[in-house]
Short mmCIF file of all heavy atoms in Angstrom, two decimals:
data_model
loop_
_atom_site.label_atom_id
_atom_site.label_comp_id
_atom_site.label_asym_id
_atom_site.label_seq_id
_atom_site.Cartn_x
_atom_site.Cartn_y
_atom_site.Cartn_z
N ASN W 496 -21.24 1.66 7.40
CA ASN W 496 -20.86 3.01 7.01
C ASN W 496 -22.13 3.84 6.80
O ASN W 496 -22.91 3.58 5.87
CB ASN W 496 -20.04 2.94 5.71
CG ASN W 496 -19.60 4.30 5.24
OD1 ASN W 496 -20.30 5.28 5.39
ND2 ASN W 496 -18.41 4.34 4.65
N PRO W 497 -22.38 4.82 7.67
CA PRO W 497 -23.68 5.52 7.59
C PRO W 497 -23.86 6.35 6.33
O PRO W 497 -24.99 6.69 5.98
CB PRO W 497 -23.69 6.41 8.84
CG PRO W 497 -22.27 6.57 9.24
CD PRO W 497 -21.52 5.36 8.75
N PHE W 498 -22.77 6.69 5.62
CA PHE W 498 -22.93 7.42 4.35
C PHE W 498 -23.66 6.53 3.33
O PHE W 498 -24.40 7.03 2.48
CB PHE W 498 -21.56 7.84 3.79
CG PHE W 498 -20.93 8.97 4.57
CD1 PHE W 498 -20.01 8.70 5.57
CD2 PHE W 498 -21.27 10.30 4.31
CE1 PHE W 498 -19.43 9.74 6.29
CE2 PHE W 498 -20.70 11.32 5.03
CZ PHE W 498 -19.76 11.05 6.03
N ARG W 499 -23.43 5.21 3.39
CA ARG W 499 -24.13 4.28 2.49
C ARG W 499 -25.64 4.42 2.69
O ARG W 499 -26.42 4.50 1.75
CB ARG W 499 -23.72 2.83 2.82
CG ARG W 499 -22.44 2.36 2.20
CD ARG W 499 -22.66 1.61 0.89
NE ARG W 499 -23.76 0.66 0.91
CZ ARG W 499 -23.68 -0.60 1.31
NH1 ARG W 499 -22.52 -1.10 1.68
NH2 ARG W 499 -24.72 -1.40 1.30
N LEU W 500 -26.03 4.43 3.97
CA LEU W 500 -27.47 4.44 4.26
C LEU W 500 -28.11 5.75 3.82
O LEU W 500 -29.28 5.78 3.43
CB LEU W 500 -27.72 4.18 5.74
CG LEU W 500 -27.17 2.86 6.29
CD1 LEU W 500 -27.78 2.53 7.65
CD2 LEU W 500 -27.43 1.69 5.34
N GLU W 501 -27.34 6.86 3.88
CA GLU W 501 -27.89 8.13 3.41
C GLU W 501 -28.22 8.03 1.92
O GLU W 501 -29.27 8.49 1.48
CB GLU W 501 -26.89 9.26 3.66
CG GLU W 501 -26.72 9.60 5.14
CD GLU W 501 -28.04 9.83 5.85
OE1 GLU W 501 -28.68 10.84 5.58
OE2 GLU W 501 -28.44 8.97 6.67
N GLY W 502 -27.34 7.43 1.13
CA GLY W 502 -27.63 7.28 -0.30
C GLY W 502 -28.81 6.34 -0.52
O GLY W 502 -29.72 6.62 -1.31
N GLN W 503 -28.82 5.23 0.22
CA GLN W 503 -29.89 4.24 0.03
C GLN W 503 -31.26 4.80 0.42
O GLN W 503 -32.28 4.36 -0.11
CB GLN W 503 -29.58 2.97 0.82
CG GLN W 503 -28.56 2.11 0.09
CD GLN W 503 -28.07 0.90 0.87
OE1 GLN W 503 -26.91 0.54 0.76
NE2 GLN W 503 -28.92 0.27 1.67
N LYS W 504 -31.26 5.77 1.34
CA LYS W 504 -32.56 6.29 1.78
C LYS W 504 -33.27 7.05 0.65
O LYS W 504 -34.48 7.19 0.69
CB LYS W 504 -32.40 7.14 3.04
CG LYS W 504 -32.02 8.58 2.77
CD LYS W 504 -31.83 9.39 4.04
CE LYS W 504 -31.47 10.83 3.63
NZ LYS W 504 -31.07 11.66 4.74
N THR W 505 -32.53 7.49 -0.38
CA THR W 505 -33.18 8.26 -1.45
C THR W 505 -34.19 7.42 -2.22
O THR W 505 -35.06 7.94 -2.89
CB THR W 505 -32.15 8.85 -2.44
OG1 THR W 505 -31.40 7.80 -3.02
CG2 THR W 505 -31.23 9.85 -1.76
N LEU W 506 -34.08 6.09 -2.11
CA LEU W 506 -35.10 5.20 -2.71
C LEU W 506 -36.49 5.65 -2.28
O LEU W 506 -37.41 5.73 -3.08
CB LEU W 506 -34.85 3.76 -2.26
CG LEU W 506 -35.89 2.69 -2.60
CD1 LEU W 506 -35.24 1.33 -2.65
CD2 LEU W 506 -37.06 2.65 -1.65
N ALA W 507 -36.63 5.94 -0.98
CA ALA W 507 -37.95 6.28 -0.46
C ALA W 507 -38.42 7.65 -0.95
O ALA W 507 -39.59 7.84 -1.25
CB ALA W 507 -37.93 6.24 1.07
N PHE W 508 -37.48 8.59 -1.05
CA PHE W 508 -37.86 9.92 -1.58
C PHE W 508 -38.32 9.79 -3.04
O PHE W 508 -39.34 10.36 -3.44
CB PHE W 508 -36.67 10.90 -1.48
CG PHE W 508 -36.36 11.34 -0.07
CD1 PHE W 508 -35.61 10.55 0.78
CD2 PHE W 508 -36.84 12.55 0.41
CE1 PHE W 508 -35.33 10.95 2.08
CE2 PHE W 508 -36.58 12.95 1.71
CZ PHE W 508 -35.82 12.15 2.54
N GLU W 509 -37.57 9.00 -3.81
CA GLU W 509 -37.91 8.83 -5.22
C GLU W 509 -39.26 8.10 -5.36
O GLU W 509 -40.10 8.46 -6.19
CB GLU W 509 -36.81 8.03 -5.90
CG GLU W 509 -36.96 7.96 -7.39
CD GLU W 509 -35.80 7.22 -8.02
OE1 GLU W 509 -35.84 5.97 -8.13
OE2 GLU W 509 -34.81 7.88 -8.39
N LEU W 510 -39.47 7.09 -4.52
CA LEU W 510 -40.73 6.34 -4.55
C LEU W 510 -41.91 7.26 -4.25
O LEU W 510 -42.92 7.24 -4.97
CB LEU W 510 -40.66 5.19 -3.51
CG LEU W 510 -41.96 4.48 -3.21
CD1 LEU W 510 -42.43 3.68 -4.43
CD2 LEU W 510 -41.80 3.53 -2.02
N LEU W 511 -41.79 8.05 -3.21
CA LEU W 511 -42.91 8.92 -2.85
C LEU W 511 -43.17 9.95 -3.95
O LEU W 511 -44.32 10.29 -4.24
CB LEU W 511 -42.63 9.59 -1.50
CG LEU W 511 -43.23 8.88 -0.26
CD1 LEU W 511 -44.76 8.96 -0.30
CD2 LEU W 511 -42.84 7.42 -0.16
N GLU W 512 -42.08 10.42 -4.57
CA GLU W 512 -42.26 11.36 -5.69
C GLU W 512 -43.03 10.66 -6.82
O GLU W 512 -43.95 11.22 -7.42
CB GLU W 512 -40.89 11.82 -6.19
CG GLU W 512 -40.95 12.89 -7.24
CD GLU W 512 -39.57 13.22 -7.81
OE1 GLU W 512 -38.91 12.30 -8.34
OE2 GLU W 512 -39.15 14.38 -7.71
N GLN W 513 -42.69 9.39 -7.10
CA GLN W 513 -43.38 8.65 -8.16
C GLN W 513 -44.85 8.44 -7.82
O GLN W 513 -45.68 8.29 -8.71
CB GLN W 513 -42.70 7.30 -8.40
CG GLN W 513 -41.36 7.44 -9.14
CD GLN W 513 -40.52 6.17 -9.10
OE1 GLN W 513 -40.38 5.53 -8.05
NE2 GLN W 513 -39.92 5.81 -10.22
N LEU W 514 -45.16 8.40 -6.53
CA LEU W 514 -46.56 8.20 -6.11
C LEU W 514 -47.23 9.55 -5.80
O LEU W 514 -48.24 9.58 -5.08
CB LEU W 514 -46.60 7.30 -4.86
CG LEU W 514 -46.17 5.83 -5.07
CD1 LEU W 514 -46.05 5.11 -3.73
CD2 LEU W 514 -47.14 5.10 -5.99
#
Side-chain angles (χ1 to χ4, degrees):
N496 180 325
F498 288 95
R499 278 265 316 274
L500 301 195
E501 291 309 289
Q503 281 173 216
K504 84 182 181 189
T505 59
L506 172 155
F508 288 82
E509 188 177 87
L510 169 67
L511 265 293
E512 186 186 58
Q513 286 167 316
L514 292 172

